[in-house]
Structures are given as C-alpha cells and as structure tokens.
Amino acid sequence: MRRLRKIDPEEVEFYKKLNLHKKTHSNIKSPVINNTDGINHYVYKLTHNTTKETYIGVRSCKGDVYKDNYYGSMQTWKADKKDLTKHIIRTFNSREDAERYEAYVIYKNLD
C-alpha cells in the first residue's frame, strides 16, 4: 500500500539539477508497512524545545520508525536529547530515495 502525494515542481527541478531525477517519487511508502527485508528508511526532523533549533537527518532502522529511539549522532549539534522533539517527515523503501529527499528538505529549509 502506497500513499500518493502531489509532486512538487520545485522538488523535481532540484533533483534534476543534481542529476537525481530517475527515481524521485517511485519509492515513497506508507509508514505502517515494513520492507520485506525489515529495514525502513526515513527522513526526520529534530526540534530543540527551548531554542527551536532544528536538525534534519536520514535514518535506516529495523522495525517501526515511530518506535526508533535514534536522535542523531550529535557529532556537530550538542543538544541534550531529552530536550528534543522528533518528527518523522516521510518514509521510503530505499536509503537512496531517503537521502535524496533529505537533501531536498535541507535545501528547502536553508535561510
């Protein structure tokens, strides 16, 4: 079962500029259904509850993405994980598509 979504023309142009337009929307999936190999890929956003700073990342995990307790590697952002809210932006059938979408989300959120 797959969710359908409206294709954003800006998103398509972004992928074309990066020469990543071949499989742009082919692997978007429902967050409820696991892949056959049990690996789920998703793009997430962390928001610091006090400062409202945000971090956008990509992650692959086994099982339900909504039960995944991963809050980033914290290599560059030293926020206390208990002060963060995690939001799953979208799930994917492949890591490649998740990474493409992560790049797009970051691009759209640049100041």
Side-chain angles (χ1 to χ4, degrees), residues 6-87:
K6 185 176 178 182
I7 296 175
D8 180 352
E10 275 189 52
E11 185 177 346
V12 174
E13 288 304 312
F14 173 79
Y15 291 133
K16 284 181 181 178
K17 287 178 188 174
L18 295 178
N19 197 25
L20 298 174
H21 60 281
K22 295 175 186 167
K23 294 188 348 181
T24 303
H25 300 287
S26 63
N27 285 322
I28 295 170
K29 68 173 199 151
S30 166
V32 178
I33 299 173
N34 289 337
N35 290 333
T36 56
D37 62 0
I39 305 291
N40 292 294
H41 314 278
Y42 64 95
V43 175
Y44 65 95
K45 179 179 179 180
L46 298 176
T47 303
H48 191 280
N49 297 328
T50 304
T51 66
K52 304 303 179 202
E53 291 176 284
T54 60
Y55 173 84
I56 296 167
V58 66
R59 167 94 168 140
S60 298
C61 70
K62 290 187 176 184
D64 186 347
V65 300
Y66 293 98
K67 293 180 181 175
D68 186 21
N69 291 325
Y70 182 79
Y71 276 78
S73 65
M74 300 300 165
Q75 291 179 3
T76 57
W77 189 28
K78 302 297 180 188
D80 188 345
K81 292 180 183 183
K82 68 180 181 183
D83 294 328
L84 300 174
T85 300
K86 182 177 177 181
H87 170 74

